[in-house]
Amino acid sequence: MTTPPSDQRPGRSDRSRWNWLLLLPVVIPLIPALYNHENPRLLGFPLFYWLQLAFIVLGVGCTAIVYRMGSRGGRDGR
């Protein structure tokens, strides 16, 4: 005889408060008032272009922070 599979899985959950940080790189680029200018320029690039690169860095940073905080036991950020 085999034992029936248990419906309860051990303690992994994706319900961390740190996951809310992932909204920043999604919401901030949706605000055109931030980048609807030509100045200031950075290395000759208008604001729109270098700000797009900054949004990428923001996304990578937020993802790294959420990953690091989620991998520290996963229970601290609740």
Coordinates of all heavy atoms in Angstrom, one line a residue:
M1 N 0.8 -1.2 0.0 CA 0.0 0.0 0.0 C 0.9 1.2 0.0 O 1.9 1.3 0.6 CB -0.9 0.0 1.3 CG -1.9 -1.0 1.3 SD -3.4 -0.1 0.9 CE -4.5 -1.3 0.4
T2 N 0.4 2.2 -0.7 CA 1.2 3.5 -0.8 C 0.4 4.5 0.0 O -0.9 4.4 0.2 CB 1.3 4.0 -2.2 OG1 0.1 4.2 -2.8 CG2 2.2 3.0 -3.0
T3 N 1.1 5.5 0.5 CA 0.4 6.6 1.3 C -0.1 7.6 0.3 O 0.6 7.9 -0.7 CB 1.4 7.2 2.3 OG1 2.5 7.8 1.6 CG2 1.8 6.2 3.3
P4 N -1.2 8.2 0.5 CA -1.7 9.3 -0.4 C -0.9 10.5 -0.3 O -0.4 10.8 0.8 CB -3.2 9.5 0.1 CG -3.2 9.0 1.5 CD -2.2 7.9 1.6
P5 N -0.8 11.3 -1.4 CA 0.1 12.5 -1.3 C -0.6 13.5 -0.4 O -1.8 13.7 -0.4 CB 0.1 13.0 -2.8 CG -1.0 12.3 -3.5 CD -1.3 11.0 -2.7
S6 N 0.2 14.2 0.3 CA -0.3 15.2 1.2 C -0.6 16.5 0.4 O 0.1 16.9 -0.5 CB 0.8 15.5 2.2 OG 0.4 16.6 3.0
D7 N -1.6 17.2 0.8 CA -2.0 18.4 0.2 C -1.2 19.6 0.7 O -1.2 20.7 0.1 CB -3.5 18.7 0.4 CG -4.4 17.7 -0.4 OD1 -3.9 17.2 -1.4 OD2 -5.5 17.5 0.0
Q8 N -0.6 19.4 1.8 CA 0.2 20.5 2.4 C 1.6 20.5 1.9 O 2.3 19.5 2.1 CB 0.1 20.5 3.9 CG -1.3 20.7 4.5 CD -1.3 20.5 6.0 OE1 -0.3 20.2 6.6 NE2 -2.4 20.8 6.6
R9 N 2.0 21.6 1.3 CA 3.4 21.7 0.9 C 4.2 22.5 2.0 O 3.7 23.4 2.6 CB 3.5 22.4 -0.4 CG 2.9 21.6 -1.5 CD 3.2 22.2 -2.8 NE 2.7 21.3 -3.9 CZ 2.8 21.5 -5.1 NH1 3.4 22.6 -5.5 NH2 2.3 20.7 -6.0
P10 N 5.5 22.1 2.1 CA 6.2 22.9 3.1 C 6.5 24.3 2.7 O 6.6 24.6 1.6 CB 7.5 22.1 3.2 CG 7.6 21.2 2.0 CD 6.2 21.1 1.5
G11 N 6.6 25.1 3.7 CA 6.7 26.6 3.7 C 7.3 27.5 2.7 O 7.9 28.4 3.1
R12 N 7.0 27.3 1.4 CA 7.5 28.3 0.5 C 6.3 29.1 0.0 O 5.3 28.7 -0.3 CB 8.1 27.6 -0.8 CG 8.6 28.6 -1.7 CD 9.4 28.0 -2.9 NE 9.9 29.0 -3.7 CZ 9.3 29.5 -4.8 NH1 8.2 29.0 -5.2 NH2 9.9 30.4 -5.5
S13 N 6.5 30.4 0.1 CA 5.5 31.4 -0.3 C 6.1 32.5 -1.1 O 7.2 32.9 -0.8 CB 4.8 31.9 0.9 OG 3.8 32.9 0.5
D14 N 5.4 33.1 -2.0 CA 5.8 34.2 -2.8 C 5.2 35.5 -2.2 O 5.2 36.5 -2.9 CB 5.5 34.0 -4.2 CG 6.3 32.9 -4.8 OD1 7.4 32.6 -4.3 OD2 5.9 32.3 -5.8
R15 N 4.7 35.5 -1.1 CA 4.0 36.6 -0.5 C 4.9 37.4 0.4 O 4.7 37.6 1.6 CB 2.8 36.2 0.3 CG 1.7 35.5 -0.5 CD 0.6 35.1 0.3 NE -0.4 34.5 -0.5 CZ -1.5 33.9 0.0 NH1 -1.8 34.0 1.2 NH2 -2.4 33.3 -0.8
S16 N 5.9 38.0 -0.2 CA 6.8 38.9 0.5 C 6.5 40.3 0.2 O 6.1 40.7 -0.9 CB 8.3 38.5 0.1 OG 9.2 39.5 0.7
R17 N 6.7 41.2 1.2 CA 6.5 42.6 0.9 C 7.5 43.2 0.0 O 7.3 44.1 -0.7 CB 6.6 43.4 2.2 CG 5.3 43.2 3.1 CD 5.4 44.0 4.3 NE 6.2 43.2 5.3 CZ 6.6 43.7 6.4 NH1 6.4 45.0 6.8 NH2 7.3 43.0 7.3
W18 N 8.6 42.5 -0.2 CA 9.7 43.0 -1.1 C 9.2 42.9 -2.5 O 9.8 43.6 -3.4 CB 11.0 42.2 -0.8 CG 11.6 42.6 0.4 CD1 11.6 41.9 1.6 CD2 12.4 43.8 0.7 NE1 12.3 42.6 2.6 CE2 12.8 43.8 2.0 CE3 12.8 44.9 -0.2 CZ2 13.5 44.8 2.5 CZ3 13.5 45.9 0.4 CH2 13.9 45.8 1.7
N19 N 8.3 42.0 -2.8 CA 7.8 41.9 -4.2 C 7.2 43.1 -4.7 O 7.1 43.4 -5.9 CB 6.8 40.7 -4.3 CG 7.5 39.4 -4.1 OD1 8.7 39.3 -4.2 ND2 6.7 38.4 -3.8
W20 N 6.6 44.0 -3.8 CA 6.0 45.2 -4.2 C 7.1 46.2 -4.8 O 6.7 47.0 -5.6 CB 5.4 45.9 -3.0 CG 4.1 45.3 -2.6 CD1 4.0 44.4 -1.5 CD2 2.9 45.3 -3.2 NE1 2.7 44.0 -1.5 CE2 2.0 44.5 -2.5 CE3 2.4 46.0 -4.3 CZ2 0.6 44.4 -2.8 CZ3 1.1 45.9 -4.7 CH2 0.2 45.1 -3.9
L21 N 8.3 46.0 -4.5 CA 9.4 46.8 -5.1 C 9.5 46.6 -6.6 O 9.9 47.4 -7.3 CB 10.7 46.4 -4.4 CG 11.9 47.3 -4.7 CD1 11.6 48.8 -4.2 CD2 13.1 46.8 -4.1
L22 N 9.0 45.4 -7.1 CA 9.0 45.2 -8.5 C 8.1 46.0 -9.3 O 8.2 46.1 -10.6 CB 8.7 43.7 -8.8 CG 9.8 42.7 -8.3 CD1 9.3 41.3 -8.4 CD2 11.1 42.9 -9.0
L23 N 7.2 46.7 -8.7 CA 6.3 47.6 -9.4 C 7.0 48.9 -9.8 O 6.6 49.5 -10.8 CB 5.1 48.0 -8.5 CG 4.0 46.9 -8.3 CD1 3.0 47.4 -7.4 CD2 3.4 46.6 -9.6
L24 N 8.0 49.3 -9.1 CA 8.7 50.6 -9.5 C 9.2 50.6 -10.9 O 8.9 51.5 -11.6 CB 9.9 50.8 -8.5 CG 9.5 51.4 -7.2 CD1 10.8 51.6 -6.3 CD2 8.8 52.7 -7.3
P25 N 10.0 49.6 -11.4 CA 10.4 49.6 -12.8 C 9.3 49.5 -13.8 O 9.5 49.7 -15.0 CB 11.4 48.5 -12.9 CG 11.3 47.7 -11.7 CD 10.5 48.4 -10.7
V26 N 8.1 49.1 -13.4 CA 7.0 49.0 -14.3 C 6.2 50.4 -14.3 O 5.9 50.9 -15.4 CB 6.1 47.9 -13.9 CG1 4.8 47.9 -14.7 CG2 6.8 46.6 -14.0
V27 N 6.0 51.0 -13.2 CA 5.2 52.1 -13.0 C 5.9 53.4 -13.4 O 5.4 54.3 -14.2 CB 4.6 52.2 -11.6 CG1 3.9 53.6 -11.4 CG2 3.7 51.1 -11.3
I28 N 7.2 53.5 -13.0 CA 7.9 54.8 -13.3 C 8.1 55.1 -14.8 O 7.9 56.2 -15.2 CB 9.2 54.8 -12.5 CG1 9.0 54.9 -11.0 CG2 10.2 55.9 -13.0 CD1 10.2 54.9 -10.1
P29 N 8.4 54.1 -15.6 CA 8.5 54.5 -17.1 C 7.1 54.8 -17.7 O 7.1 55.3 -18.8 CB 9.0 53.2 -17.7 CG 9.7 52.5 -16.6 CD 9.0 52.8 -15.4
L30 N 6.0 54.6 -17.0 CA 4.7 54.9 -17.5 C 4.3 56.3 -17.2 O 3.2 56.7 -17.6 CB 3.7 53.9 -16.9 CG 3.8 52.5 -17.3 CD1 2.7 51.7 -16.6 CD2 3.7 52.3 -18.8
I31 N 5.2 57.1 -16.7 CA 4.9 58.5 -16.4 C 5.7 59.4 -17.4 O 6.9 59.7 -17.2 CB 5.4 58.9 -14.9 CG1 4.7 57.9 -13.9 CG2 5.0 60.3 -14.6 CD1 5.2 58.0 -12.5
P32 N 5.0 59.8 -18.5 CA 5.8 60.5 -19.5 C 6.3 61.9 -19.1 O 7.2 62.4 -19.7 CB 4.7 60.7 -20.6 CG 3.6 59.9 -20.3 CD 3.7 59.5 -18.9
A33 N 5.7 62.5 -18.1 CA 6.2 63.8 -17.6 C 7.6 63.7 -17.2 O 8.3 64.7 -17.1 CB 5.3 64.3 -16.5
L34 N 8.1 62.5 -16.8 CA 9.5 62.4 -16.4 C 10.5 62.6 -17.5 O 11.6 63.1 -17.3 CB 9.7 61.0 -15.7 CG 9.0 60.8 -14.4 CD1 9.3 59.3 -13.9 CD2 9.5 61.8 -13.3
Y35 N 10.1 62.1 -18.7 CA 11.1 62.1 -19.8 C 10.6 62.8 -21.0 O 11.2 62.7 -22.1 CB 11.5 60.6 -20.1 CG 10.3 59.7 -20.4 CD1 9.7 59.7 -21.7 CD2 9.8 58.9 -19.4 CE1 8.6 58.9 -21.9 CE2 8.7 58.1 -19.7 CZ 8.2 58.0 -20.9 OH 7.1 57.2 -21.2
N36 N 9.6 63.7 -20.9 CA 9.2 64.4 -22.0 C 9.9 65.7 -22.2 O 9.3 66.8 -22.3 CB 7.7 64.6 -21.9 CG 7.0 65.1 -23.2 OD1 7.7 65.0 -24.2 ND2 5.8 65.6 -23.1
H37 N 11.2 65.7 -22.1 CA 12.1 66.9 -22.2 C 13.3 66.5 -23.0 O 13.6 65.3 -23.2 CB 12.5 67.3 -20.8 CG 11.4 67.6 -19.8 ND1 10.6 68.7 -19.9 CD2 11.0 66.8 -18.8 CE1 9.7 68.6 -18.9 NE2 9.9 67.5 -18.3
E38 N 14.0 67.5 -23.5 CA 15.2 67.2 -24.2 C 16.4 67.4 -23.3 O 17.5 66.8 -23.5 CB 15.3 68.1 -25.4 CG 16.4 67.7 -26.3 CD 16.3 68.4 -27.7 OE1 15.2 68.6 -28.2 OE2 17.4 68.8 -28.2
N39 N 16.3 68.3 -22.4 CA 17.4 68.6 -21.4 C 17.1 68.1 -20.1 O 15.9 68.0 -19.7 CB 17.6 70.1 -21.4 CG 18.2 70.6 -22.6 OD1 19.0 70.0 -23.3 ND2 17.7 71.8 -23.1
P40 N 18.0 67.7 -19.3 CA 19.5 67.8 -19.4 C 20.0 66.7 -20.3 O 19.5 65.6 -20.4 CB 20.0 67.7 -18.0 CG 19.0 66.9 -17.3 CD 17.7 67.2 -18.0
R41 N 21.1 67.0 -21.0 CA 21.8 66.0 -21.8 C 22.9 65.3 -21.0 O 23.5 66.0 -20.1 CB 22.4 66.7 -23.0 CG 21.3 67.1 -24.0 CD 21.9 67.8 -25.2 NE 20.9 68.1 -26.2 CZ 20.7 67.3 -27.3 NH1 21.4 66.3 -27.5 NH2 19.7 67.7 -28.1
L42 N 23.1 64.1 -21.3 CA 24.2 63.4 -20.7 C 25.1 62.8 -21.8 O 24.6 62.0 -22.6 CB 23.7 62.2 -19.8 CG 24.7 61.4 -19.0 CD1 25.4 62.2 -18.0 CD2 24.0 60.2 -18.4
L43 N 26.3 63.3 -21.8 CA 27.3 62.9 -22.9 C 26.7 63.1 -24.3 O 26.9 62.4 -25.2 CB 27.7 61.4 -22.7 CG 28.3 61.0 -21.4 CD1 28.4 59.4 -21.4 CD2 29.6 61.7 -21.2
G44 N 25.9 64.2 -24.4 CA 25.3 64.6 -25.7 C 24.0 63.9 -26.0 O 23.4 64.2 -27.0
F45 N 23.6 62.9 -25.2 CA 22.3 62.2 -25.4 C 21.2 63.0 -24.7 O 21.3 63.4 -23.6 CB 22.4 60.8 -24.8 CG 23.3 59.9 -25.5 CD1 24.5 59.6 -25.0 CD2 22.9 59.3 -26.7 CE1 25.4 58.8 -25.7 CE2 23.7 58.5 -27.4 CZ 25.0 58.2 -26.9
P46 N 20.1 63.2 -25.4 CA 18.9 63.8 -24.8 C 18.4 63.0 -23.6 O 18.7 61.8 -23.5 CB 17.9 63.9 -25.9 CG 18.6 63.7 -27.2 CD 19.8 62.9 -26.8
L47 N 17.7 63.6 -22.8 CA 17.1 63.0 -21.6 C 16.4 61.7 -21.9 O 16.6 60.7 -21.1 CB 16.2 64.0 -20.9 CG 15.4 63.4 -19.7 CD1 16.4 63.2 -18.5 CD2 14.3 64.3 -19.3
F48 N 15.6 61.7 -22.9 CA 14.8 60.5 -23.2 C 15.7 59.2 -23.3 O 15.3 58.2 -22.8 CB 14.0 60.7 -24.5 CG 13.2 59.5 -24.8 CD1 12.0 59.2 -24.2 CD2 13.6 58.6 -25.8 CE1 11.2 58.1 -24.5 CE2 12.9 57.5 -26.1 CZ 11.7 57.2 -25.5
Y49 N 16.8 59.3 -24.0 CA 17.6 58.2 -24.3 C 18.3 57.7 -23.1 O 18.4 56.5 -22.7 CB 18.6 58.4 -25.5 CG 17.8 58.7 -26.7 CD1 17.7 59.9 -27.3 CD2 17.2 57.6 -27.4 CE1 17.1 60.1 -28.5 CE2 16.5 57.8 -28.5 CZ 16.4 59.1 -29.1 OH 15.7 59.3 -30.3
W50 N 19.0 58.6 -22.4 CA 19.8 58.1 -21.2 C 18.8 57.8 -20.1 O 19.2 56.9 -19.2 CB 20.9 59.1 -20.8 CG 20.5 60.4 -20.3 CD1 20.4 61.6 -21.0 CD2 20.1 60.8 -18.9 NE1 20.0 62.6 -20.1 CE2 19.8 62.1 -18.9 CE3 19.9 60.0 -17.8 CZ2 19.4 62.8 -17.7 CZ3 19.5 60.7 -16.6 CH2 19.2 62.0 -16.6
L51 N 17.6 58.3 -20.0 CA 16.7 57.9 -19.0 C 16.2 56.5 -19.2 O 15.9 55.7 -18.3 CB 15.6 58.9 -18.9 CG 14.7 58.8 -17.6 CD1 15.6 59.1 -16.4 CD2 13.6 59.9 -17.6
Q52 N 16.1 56.1 -20.5 CA 15.7 54.7 -20.8 C 16.7 53.7 -20.3 O 16.4 52.7 -19.7 CB 15.5 54.5 -22.3 CG 14.4 55.3 -22.9 CD 13.1 55.1 -22.3 OE1 12.7 53.9 -22.1 NE2 12.4 56.1 -21.9
L53 N 18.0 54.1 -20.4 CA 19.1 53.3 -19.8 C 19.0 53.3 -18.3 O 19.2 52.2 -17.7 CB 20.4 53.7 -20.3 CG 20.7 53.6 -21.8 CD1 22.0 54.2 -22.2 CD2 20.6 52.2 -22.2
A54 N 18.6 54.4 -17.7 CA 18.5 54.5 -16.3 C 17.3 53.6 -15.8 O 17.4 53.0 -14.7 CB 18.3 55.9 -15.8
F55 N 16.3 53.5 -16.6 CA 15.2 52.6 -16.2 C 15.6 51.2 -16.2 O 15.1 50.4 -15.4 CB 14.0 52.8 -17.2 CG 13.3 54.1 -17.0 CD1 12.6 54.7 -18.1 CD2 13.2 54.8 -15.8 CE1 11.9 55.9 -18.0 CE2 12.6 56.0 -15.7 CZ 11.9 56.6 -16.8
I56 N 16.5 50.8 -17.1 CA 17.0 49.4 -17.2 C 17.8 49.2 -15.9 O 17.6 48.1 -15.2 CB 17.9 49.2 -18.4 CG1 17.0 49.2 -19.7 CG2 18.6 47.9 -18.3 CD1 17.7 49.2 -21.0
V57 N 18.6 50.1 -15.5 CA 19.4 50.0 -14.3 C 18.5 49.9 -13.1 O 18.7 49.1 -12.2 CB 20.4 51.1 -14.1 CG1 21.1 51.1 -12.8 CG2 21.4 51.1 -15.3
L58 N 17.4 50.7 -13.1 CA 16.4 50.6 -12.0 C 15.8 49.2 -11.9 O 15.6 48.7 -10.8 CB 15.4 51.7 -12.2 CG 14.2 51.7 -11.2 CD1 14.7 52.1 -9.8 CD2 13.1 52.6 -11.7
G59 N 15.4 48.7 -13.1 CA 14.8 47.4 -13.1 C 15.7 46.3 -12.6 O 15.3 45.4 -11.8
V60 N 17.0 46.3 -13.0 CA 17.9 45.4 -12.6 C 18.2 45.5 -11.1 O 18.2 44.5 -10.4 CB 19.3 45.5 -13.4 CG1 20.4 44.7 -12.8 CG2 19.1 45.1 -14.8
G61 N 18.3 46.7 -10.6 CA 18.5 46.9 -9.2 C 17.4 46.4 -8.3 O 17.6 45.8 -7.3
C62 N 16.2 46.7 -8.7 CA 15.0 46.3 -8.0 C 14.9 44.8 -8.0 O 14.6 44.2 -7.0 CB 13.7 46.9 -8.5 SG 13.6 48.7 -8.2
T63 N 15.1 44.2 -9.2 CA 15.1 42.7 -9.2 C 16.1 42.1 -8.4 O 15.9 41.1 -7.7 CB 15.2 42.3 -10.7 OG1 14.2 42.9 -11.5 CG2 15.1 40.8 -10.8
A64 N 17.3 42.6 -8.3 CA 18.4 42.1 -7.5 C 18.1 42.2 -6.0 O 18.3 41.3 -5.3 CB 19.7 42.8 -7.8
I65 N 17.5 43.4 -5.6 CA 17.1 43.5 -4.2 C 16.1 42.5 -3.8 O 16.2 41.9 -2.8 CB 16.7 45.0 -4.0 CG1 17.9 45.9 -4.1 CG2 16.0 45.1 -2.6 CD1 17.5 47.4 -4.1
V66 N 15.0 42.4 -4.6 CA 14.0 41.5 -4.3 C 14.5 40.0 -4.3 O 14.1 39.3 -3.4 CB 12.8 41.6 -5.3 CG1 11.8 40.5 -5.2 CG2 12.1 42.9 -5.2
Y67 N 15.4 39.7 -5.2 CA 15.9 38.3 -5.2 C 16.8 38.1 -3.9 O 16.6 37.1 -3.3 CB 16.8 38.1 -6.4 CG 17.5 36.8 -6.4 CD1 16.8 35.6 -6.7 CD2 18.8 36.7 -6.1 CE1 17.4 34.4 -6.7 CE2 19.5 35.5 -6.1 CZ 18.8 34.3 -6.4 OH 19.4 33.1 -6.3
R68 N 17.6 39.1 -3.6 CA 18.4 38.9 -2.4 C 17.6 38.8 -1.1 O 17.9 38.0 -0.2 CB 19.4 40.1 -2.3 CG 20.4 40.2 -3.4 CD 21.5 39.2 -3.3 NE 22.3 39.5 -2.1 CZ 23.4 38.9 -1.7 NH1 23.9 38.0 -2.5 NH2 24.0 39.2 -0.6
M69 N 16.6 39.7 -1.0 CA 15.8 39.6 0.2 C 14.9 38.4 0.2 O 14.6 37.9 1.3 CB 14.9 40.9 0.3 CG 15.7 42.2 0.4 SD 17.0 42.1 1.7 CE 16.0 42.2 3.1
G70 N 14.5 37.9 -0.9 CA 13.7 36.7 -1.0 C 14.5 35.4 -0.7 O 14.0 34.4 -0.2
S71 N 15.8 35.5 -1.0 CA 16.6 34.3 -0.8 C 17.2 34.2 0.6 O 17.8 33.2 1.0 CB 17.8 34.2 -1.8 OG 18.6 35.3 -1.6
R72 N 17.0 35.2 1.4 CA 17.4 35.2 2.8 C 16.4 34.5 3.7 O 15.9 35.1 4.7 CB 17.6 36.6 3.3 CG 18.8 37.3 2.8 CD 19.0 38.6 3.5 NE 20.2 39.2 2.9 CZ 20.6 40.4 3.2 NH1 19.8 41.1 4.1 NH2 21.6 41.0 2.7
G73 N 16.0 33.3 3.4 CA 15.1 32.6 4.2 C 13.7 32.8 3.8 O 12.8 32.1 4.1
G74 N 13.4 33.9 3.0 CA 12.1 34.1 2.5 C 11.0 34.5 3.5 O 9.9 34.7 3.1
R75 N 11.3 34.5 4.7 CA 10.3 34.8 5.7 C 10.5 36.1 6.4 O 9.7 36.6 7.2 CB 10.3 33.7 6.8 CG 9.9 32.4 6.2 CD 9.9 31.3 7.2 NE 9.6 30.0 6.5 CZ 10.5 29.1 6.2 NH1 11.8 29.4 6.4 NH2 10.1 28.0 5.6
D76 N 11.7 36.8 6.2 CA 12.0 38.0 6.8 C 11.1 39.2 6.3 O 10.8 40.1 7.1 CB 13.4 38.4 6.6 CG 14.3 37.4 7.3 OD1 13.9 36.7 8.3 OD2 15.5 37.3 6.9
G77 N 10.7 39.2 5.1 CA 10.0 40.3 4.5 C 8.5 40.3 4.6 O 7.9 41.1 4.1
R78 N 8.0 39.4 5.3 CA 6.5 39.3 5.5 C 6.0 40.3 6.4 O 6.5 40.7 7.3 CB 6.1 37.9 5.9 CG 6.3 36.9 4.8 CD 5.8 35.6 5.2 NE 6.3 34.7 4.2 CZ 6.2 33.4 4.3 NH1 5.5 32.9 5.3 NH2 6.6 32.6 3.4

